[in-house]
Amino acid sequence: MVVGNDSSVTEFILVGFTDLTQLQLPLFLLFFVNYMLTVVGNVSLINLIYLNAHLHTPMYFFIFNLSFIDLCHSLVITPKLLMSFVSENTISFEGCMAQLFFFCFFVHSECYVLTAMAYDRYVAICKPLWYTVTMSPQVCSLLMFGSYAMGFAGAMVHTGDMVRLSFCDSSIINHYMCDIFPLLQLSCTRTDASELVDSIVVSTVVIISSFIIFVSYALILSNILHISSAQGWSKAFSTCGSHIITIALFYGSGLCTHLKTSSDGSIGQRKFLSVFYTNIVPMLNPLIYSLRNKDVRLAVNKTLIKIEKRSILIQ
């Protein structure tokens, strides 16, 4: 078969999360429950925001898109992960590149969405009188378009680098998904240029998003310090708390994964840590933004009342 580059490999075998037989069934059940919770949680939050007019605000517009990204991210990664527990998990070269592209696209897009949310929180707390004008629907749409466009550009660069490499001998990927580092290890050609380009892209995303988030929260903290009332402090922290938790989980696990060395022991650690931002964070985000949020809880109650009324009318 002929593929898009000089590779003799037409399909890869994904090793999966672990090769220990006694852990296959428990881990399958664990990740299956995780997958169901992720899908149900994010779909529910998307529907709540869409159906309740009082949630049609800039903050919930970003949360809506964050849930959409988390849902798609899970759909791209978890099904292949579950397959690795029940059978030999093969993936075509084209399928592997497609998974890599969408994985990078959603990860990069989430970084920029979280960055836009930090700016939104800064305007809400530090410039409340200008909030409606500054975070107009046009501005919010532009920020989201920019997030997806930057995510698309980053994913194209990463995927283009992988497509140009040749894979000659081994077709076994020591991972549960097609990620950049495991694919670089399999290449039978020099990867120096690809590693440099990938490092530049990742560093650019991290530096830009981290800088904007840091400046936004530095200004928020400065503003909070000038608030004398305890009620003002409480409102400010409740406004930012969910976002800070999400950033800590997403960036913390992502950085720990990519700062590891290439030793054999580190490969297992990479797979373990990558689960946090591919599976755990998408599952937790709907809980973080619902359990800590009065508006979402109010929307849940209103939706349940509507459903109850409809069921009574049908009867």
Side-chain angles (χ1 to χ4, degrees), residues 74-277:
S74 183
L75 293 174
V76 168
I77 301 299
T78 312
K80 294 298 290 183
L81 170 61
L82 292 173
M83 284 180 62
S84 68
F85 294 117
V86 296
S87 63
E88 184 177 74
N89 195 11
T90 59
I91 185 171
S92 66
F93 180 88
E94 293 84 356
C96 186
M97 293 302 107
Q99 188 189 55
L100 174 66
F101 171 81
F102 285 110
F103 166 67
C104 294
F105 172 65
F106 290 123
V107 168
H108 285 210
S109 296
E110 182 153 350
C111 287
Y112 289 116
V113 171
L114 290 173
T115 305
M117 291 174 73
Y119 176 71
D120 173 70
R121 293 301 82 205
Y122 155 72
V123 177
I125 294 174
C126 300
K127 309 282 185 181
L129 298 179
W130 291 93
Y131 183 72
T132 305
V133 176
T134 305
M135 301 305 295
S136 65
Q138 294 80 8
V139 171
C140 292
S141 299
L142 187 61
L143 287 172
M144 280 311 311
F145 175 79
S147 298
Y148 287 124
M150 294 290 283
F152 179 83
M156 285 294 291
V157 173
H158 286 307
T159 309
D161 268 350
M162 294 300 109
V163 169
R164 283 194 292 270
L165 296 177
S166 295
F167 303 92
C168 309
D169 302 319
S170 177
S171 62
I172 300 175
I173 300 177
N174 188 11
H175 212 295
Y176 57 84
M177 64 178 179
C178 292
D179 199 0
I180 296 169
F181 182 76
L183 286 171
L184 287 173
Q185 287 186 313
L186 288 185
S187 176
C188 56
T189 53
R190 290 182 64 88
T191 60
D192 298 11
S194 295
E195 289 180 19
L196 177 61
V197 171
D198 291 330
S199 296
I200 290 173
V201 173
V202 172
S203 299
T204 301
V205 174
V206 172
I207 291 171
I208 291 176
S209 57
S210 298
F211 175 76
I212 296 174
I213 291 170
F214 177 80
V215 171
S216 296
Y217 274 104
L219 293 172
I220 288 171
L221 180 61
S222 175
N223 185 272
I224 290 174
L225 292 176
H226 290 88
I227 298 175
S228 56
S229 67
Q231 186 179 1
W233 277 68
S234 177
K235 184 177 180 180
F237 282 117
S238 65
T239 302
C240 301
S242 300
H243 185 241
I244 292 172
I245 293 171
T246 303
I247 289 174
L249 288 171
F250 184 77
Y251 279 88
S253 57
L255 288 174
C256 287
T257 301
H258 290 92
L259 289 176
K260 290 292 179 182
T261 62
S262 59
S263 63
D264 291 337
S266 179
I267 293 172
Q269 292 177 355
R270 279 176 179 269
K271 286 196 284 187
F272 175 78
L273 289 170
S274 65
V275 166
F276 281 89
Y277 67 85

Side-chain angles (χ1 to χ4, degrees), residues 1-11 92-94 163 167:
M1 287 181 63
V2 178
V3 292
N5 63 0
D6 297 328
S7 297
S8 60
V9 174
T10 59
E11 68 176 19
S92 66
F93 180 88
E94 293 84 356
V163 169
F167 303 92

